[in-house]
Amino acid sequence: MKKKDKQKKRRNHFTFRLNVLFFVVFLMFSALILRLGFIQIVEGETFVSDLASTVNATTLIDAPRGIMYDRYGHVVVDNDLELSVTYTNPSRTTSSQTMLEIAEKLEPLIEMDTERVTDRDKRDYMLLKMEEEERYELVTREEREELDGVSAEYQLEIERITDEQVESLSNRDLQVAAIFREMARGYANSPQRIKQRITDEEAHVISENLDRLPGIDILRDSSRTYPYGDSFHAFFGSTSLIPSERIDYYLARGYDRSDIVGTSFLEEQYEEVLRGQKAVVESITRREGSQTIDREVKERLGQRGNDLVLTLDMELQQRLEKILDDEIRKSGNSFISDRSAYAVLMDPRTGDILAMAGWWDRGDRNRDSFADHSGNVHKVFEMGSSVKAASVLTGFHAGVASPGTRFNDRTIYLPMTPPKRSWNTSGFGWIDDRRALEQSSNVYMFEIGMRMANCYYRAPNASCGWTTGSGGTIERAYQDVRNSFSQFGLGSETGIDLPSYSSGLIGGSESGGNLLDLMIGQYDNYSTLQLAQYIATIANDGYRMEPRLVREIREPATDPDEQGAVVKKFEPTVLNRIDMSDTHISRVQQGLRDVMTRGTARGNFANASYQPAGKTGTAQVKVAVGQGDNRRIVDGNTQSLVGYAPFNNPEIAFAVVVPDVKLGSNGGRQGIAQEISKSALEAYFELKETRNGATPIEEPLLEDINMN
């Protein structure tokens, strides 16, 4: 009994405590309900009034992009801090008339560039300025009733405005239209730049009038500057507002529509690295009626984007650009039409691009600059005999030749094929592979191509044994040769850290004669960078390195004279090792050394202290010139030279291409590519001994950001 009494007493005590807990919870909820009711009924109007008189506005301010340095610490891409006038549209429902009124008030305060104001912009502006009756004069009420909607009415109004009316717009009208154009391009609650790089005077007068310019503000901004002008400028890339076709891509990654992004080359490739962390400015304004009684501004500082350390040697780059300029100008009237030359210098051991320059003078237009550096990765040419080292190694690997194999260099006559011969029309007679490279024998390469297609030349115009069509020996030979060449980078992607570049151009008709042309570099087309990667692969004992422009990513430095801490270091990347034996590679390397000491390039390089190896090339070209009845075809050649140095321990590989030079018999200067290569190598080895530093231009080049 005692035990049961204790259990009963314990249950009663637990029930009592639970009831107390429920009662306390009831009292708390009752108090909360009473408080909410008091706030809503008694003080509700007060809080609503406070809310209506308090305006919160948050603005994101772009931070400067990361800086780019060359390999020796020279700043090659910088930021110029500036002020921009912006318009922030507070709502999607803001009327065009309201924005036009603001534009008209802003017009006397700034000077706008009206070049970008299109004819449609002018007509839109004129319609906004018209009274209702004026618009009915353009399109009558009766006409509007027959049209399908407001859009059709507006389009007809635009068309009815005459060219004379558009041309009658005053300069003030165009200034207002230019301001309105930029304002209208913005998005709700996002600052839209109206004008960058405003003057101190403009900033001052705008600041004094901000109270009557709703949505207008002055923001700290920056634009790209290039201390070395056009030097390597194309590869740095450009920035602009997000292109319309990529809006969704960037919005999905947290960008705002009005953000400025990299749109080409390194700026685009490393956009996520270079973009800064935006500053956040929160403005809380309290008003009584139309009067502001208090304004509180809170700012969270932004941060400049991370920096890039490039593989570029800007001092060598400047030397290379001057070499191209000097040699092209020295060549006078040697070119068929356009004058151009391209050169790539790279470290074959790492793939580092040390310098990459292009010079181009269009024959049919005036130019402010002759820089065409991007032509090294986007333009392709038949490279001629400079690819013959790949041809010999291809023959070795296919088993149709081996070190020491001798072929008879004489004119070859095949059915339905033009005569095939070497540049020495008398022929070189029986020669081996080293001699073939030294003297640039075409026939030796023809023999390799023919034998890969099961063709053995026995007599003039006799069938040699190759077959055509799908599965034929000629088709298989094309595949084998191109697969082999691609191991060196010829006809394949180079892997350089750029968003786009050419992988070459393959010839279309796979005939037997064209196969022979392929073996001597006169069928498929390659870029200068591909040519440089090919020779660098041979210099590097068969290891093809990925070309690179960026070595490191660093944090933004706090001291302008120093670089920040390393965030990421890019190690050299081996893309592949060519499927050739060390013995075969060494044999071809010896042949390339022979070219420079006693072969086709001996005149410029036989006594060079840096002991180069390389291969010359001359591809035959036909260029159409003139217009109408004066249209004609002119024969010429594309000169090329590839190589590396020193022979026993290569540290620099190079490729130089000079397109569309007249034949020597027509006044064309021969050996331009060799002269450029010689001067470039001398510059490289001179800089190893003595450096003076790159030379900045007096006025750094500013990037004109494309607002379209």
Side-chain angles (χ1 to χ4, degrees):
M1 290 291 292
K2 291 182 178 180
K3 186 175 181 180
K4 291 182 178 179
D5 289 341
K6 288 181 179 180
Q7 290 175 343
K8 184 176 180 181
K9 185 176 181 180
R10 193 178 296 114
R11 284 197 299 270
N12 291 337
H13 182 66
F14 176 76
T15 302
F16 174 76
R17 285 191 295 177
L18 187 63
N19 289 335
V20 170
L21 177 62
F22 284 151
F23 182 70
V24 171
V25 171
F26 172 76
L27 290 177
M28 292 175 64
F29 271 103
S30 298
L32 180 61
I33 292 170
L34 288 172
R35 179 60 181 165
L36 290 174
F38 177 78
I39 291 173
Q40 184 173 355
I41 298 171
V42 179
E43 298 183 342
E45 291 186 7
T46 302
F47 282 110
V48 170
S49 176
D50 288 346
L51 182 62
S53 62
T54 302
V55 178
N56 286 23
T58 300
T59 302
L60 300 177
I61 302 175
D62 287 343
R65 293 174 71 81
I67 291 172
M68 297 186 200
Y69 299 87
D70 83 340
R71 67 192 299 116
Y72 292 105
H74 300 112
V75 176
V76 294
V77 180
D78 206 347
N79 296 304
D80 184 36
L81 298 181
E82 59 189 26
L83 295 176
S84 294
V85 58
T86 66
Y87 172 68
T88 303
N89 190 337
S91 170
R92 294 180 181 178
T93 60
T94 304
S95 70
S96 297
Q97 286 294 341
T98 299
M99 288 194 291
L100 182 60
E101 290 171 5
I102 298 171
E104 289 175 333
K105 293 178 182 177
L106 181 61
E107 182 274 329
L109 311 182
I110 60 174
E111 184 71 26
M112 291 291 292
D113 177 10
T114 60
E115 290 297 320
R116 292 195 179 106
V117 179
T118 65
D119 181 75
R120 178 58 184 261
D121 293 330
K122 296 173 185 177
R123 294 171 187 269
D124 287 337
Y125 167 75
M126 294 183 72
L127 282 183
L128 283 173
K129 294 287 293 180
M130 287 183 182
E131 299 292 338
E132 184 177 10
E133 289 304 316
E134 292 179 286
R135 296 183 69 164
Y136 278 123
E137 289 179 10
L138 288 176
V139 180
T140 65
R141 288 178 172 81
E142 291 76 13
E143 288 178 310
R144 293 173 191 271
E145 291 176 358
E146 298 177 0
L147 294 173
D148 186 16
V150 176
S151 178
E153 293 179 23
Y154 192 84
Q155 183 59 40
L156 186 56
E157 287 177 324
I158 290 289
E159 294 172 0
R160 292 281 175 85
I161 296 175
T162 66
D163 293 341
E164 289 76 14
Q165 288 175 298
V166 173
E167 292 171 2
S168 69
L169 289 173
S170 66
N171 183 63
R172 180 184 181 279
D173 288 325
L174 295 177
Q175 292 277 321
V176 175
I179 295 171
F180 177 79
R181 175 182 186 271
E182 300 303 332
M183 292 173 63
R185 290 167 57 82
Y187 299 90
N189 299 311
S190 180
Q192 168 69 15
R193 293 173 181 81
I194 296 174
K195 181 182 178 182
Q196 291 184 281
R197 295 192 284 272
I198 61 174
T199 65
D200 292 340
E201 182 180 351
E202 287 174 328
H204 179 71
V205 71
I206 292 171
S207 298
E208 291 180 339
N209 289 274
L210 286 178
D211 58 335
R212 66 184 189 89
L213 296 170
I216 299 297
D217 205 349
I218 296 175
L219 296 182
R220 297 185 302 275
D221 210 342
S222 65
S223 61
R224 287 307 218 184
T225 62
Y226 306 93
Y228 301 95
D230 282 334
S231 289
F232 211 70
H233 184 202
F235 287 115
F236 298 140
S238 59
T239 59
S240 74
L241 293 174
I242 299 174
S244 57
E245 67 273 12
R246 303 205 70 192
I247 282 287
D248 292 340
Y249 172 86
Y250 281 106
L251 291 181
R253 284 158 177 77
Y255 286 73
D256 294 324
R257 293 177 182 271
S258 60
D259 283 348
I260 289 175
V261 299
T263 53
S264 66
F265 294 97
L266 291 175
E267 293 279 15
E268 180 180 356
Q269 182 75 13
Y270 291 94
E271 165 62 27
E272 294 292 338
V273 173
L274 293 168
R275 69 180 296 209
Q277 180 179 335
K278 294 184 178 182
V280 180
V281 179
E282 184 178 10
S283 175
I284 303 174
T285 304
R286 296 179 180 86
R287 295 175 178 169
E288 283 186 359
S290 61
Q291 241 183 353
T292 299
I293 61 172
D294 182 35
R295 186 177 184 185
E296 180 182 3
V297 178
K298 300 178 181 178
E299 181 173 357
R300 187 177 74 220
L301 297 178
Q303 185 179 34
R304 178 164 60 81
N306 286 334
D307 300 334
L308 299 181
V309 179
L310 309 184
T311 62
L312 171 71
D313 178 348
M314 180 52 81
E315 189 171 1
L316 180 61
Q317 175 73 20
Q318 289 185 319
R319 293 279 295 271
L320 181 61
E321 290 172 6
K322 187 175 188 308
I323 290 166
L324 293 185
D325 186 79
D326 289 346
E327 290 298 331
I328 297 298
R329 294 182 187 278
K330 188 189 302 181
S331 300
N333 194 33
S334 289
F335 293 83
I336 298 172
S337 179
D338 297 354
R339 300 185 297 166
S340 61
Y342 301 92
V344 176
L345 307 181
M346 66 186 294
D347 186 334
R349 302 162 297 185
T350 62
D352 286 2
I353 299 296
L354 305 177
M356 189 155 50
W359 197 101
W360 182 35
D361 176 22
R362 283 284 299 269
D364 60 352
R365 68 177 64 178
N366 295 324
R367 293 172 67 93
D368 295 327
S369 170
F370 296 106
D372 185 30
H373 309 317
S374 63
N376 284 286
V377 299
H378 284 152
K379 293 183 177 179
V380 296
F381 309 96
E382 292 179 2
M383 297 301 186
S385 299
S386 55
V387 307
K388 286 178 178 176
S391 300
V392 172
L393 281 169
T394 297
F396 287 171
H397 181 67
V400 299
S402 59
T405 295
R406 301 172 74 233
F407 293 130
N408 185 11
D409 187 307
R410 75 291 192 208
T411 302
I412 295 175
Y413 301 92
L414 295 171
M416 303 180 66
T417 302
K420 296 291 184 180
R421 58 174 64 93
S422 294
W423 62 269
N424 178 1
T425 56
S426 299
F428 292 105
W430 290 91
I431 56 173
D432 65 8
D433 51 291
R434 282 184 60 172
R435 177 72 171 166
L437 288 172
E438 173 194 310
Q439 295 299 321
S440 198
S441 166
N442 287 345
V443 174
Y444 198 94
M445 311 306 151
F446 295 156
E447 288 283 3
I448 290 174
M450 289 190 299
R451 289 165 189 256
M452 289 183 68
N454 197 38
C455 171
Y456 292 84
Y457 182 71
R458 295 180 177 85
N461 298 314
S463 176
C464 68
W466 58 17
T467 58
T468 60
S470 179
T473 59
I474 291 177
E475 182 185 55
R476 290 201 303 270
Y478 271 102
Q479 293 174 351
D480 292 342
V481 171
R482 284 174 173 154
N483 288 341
S484 177
F485 279 22
S486 69
Q487 295 184 56
F488 299 88
L490 296 173
S492 61
E493 294 187 355
T494 62
I496 192 171
D497 47 343
L498 291 173
S500 65
Y501 52 85
S502 175
S503 296
L505 181 64
I506 293 176
S509 175
E510 295 185 347
S511 66
N514 287 338
L515 173 63
L516 305 191
D517 291 337
L518 174 63
M519 301 302 296
I520 62 170
Q522 295 204 179
Y523 191 53
D524 287 357
N525 290 241
Y526 313 113
S527 69
T528 309
L529 178 61
Q530 286 179 309
L531 203 63
Q533 187 182 44
Y534 138 72
I535 198 63
T537 301
I538 295 176
N540 199 35
D541 296 329
Y543 290 93
R544 183 166 73 108
M545 306 303 295
E546 181 178 73
R548 61 177 185 171
L549 292 169
V550 176
R551 301 174 70 183
E552 295 174 346
I553 298 173
R554 289 180 174 265
E555 293 179 349
T558 55
D559 187 334
D561 296 325
E562 297 181 0
Q563 294 182 19
V566 176
V567 174
K568 182 175 182 179
K569 185 178 180 65
F570 295 99
E571 298 297 333
T573 301
V574 178
L575 293 177
N576 61 274
R577 206 277 187 184
I578 61 175
D579 191 15
M580 320 285 177
S581 71
D582 291 339
T583 300
H584 290 168
I585 294 172
S586 177
R587 176 73 175 187
V588 168
Q589 289 172 341
Q590 289 290 337
L592 295 176
R593 178 65 178 142
D594 294 341
V595 171
M596 299 301 218
T597 55
R598 57 175 184 262
T600 53
R602 66 185 181 279
N604 282 300
F605 298 98
N607 299 317
S609 60
Y610 44 81
Q611 297 184 322
K615 184 69 191 76
T616 56
T618 306
Q620 298 174 6
V621 297
K622 294 181 181 295
V623 179
V625 297
Q627 300 292 330
D629 294 338
N630 294 323
R631 190 78 166 170
R632 66 193 187 283
I633 302 297
V634 178
D635 290 331
N637 55 56
T638 290
Q639 302 176 13
S640 61
L641 181 67
V642 297
Y644 54 90
F647 171 67
N648 290 321
N649 185 25
E651 57 188 72
I652 182 171
F654 66 90
V656 175
V657 180
V658 184
D660 301 344
V661 181
K662 292 178 181 177
L663 297 177
S665 57
N666 290 331
R669 178 184 168 210
Q670 304 308 296
I672 303 174
Q674 291 193 37
E675 293 289 344
I676 291 172
S677 301
K678 179 183 177 182
S679 298
L681 288 174
E682 289 174 350
Y684 171 81
F685 286 104
E686 285 172 9
L687 290 175
K688 285 189 66 178
E689 301 297 326
T690 305
R691 282 188 168 273
N692 298 316
T695 305
I697 60 174
E698 292 184 5
E699 292 291 334
L701 186 66
L702 283 170
E703 179 181 53
D704 182 16
I705 294 178
N706 180 11
M707 302 301 289
N708 292 314

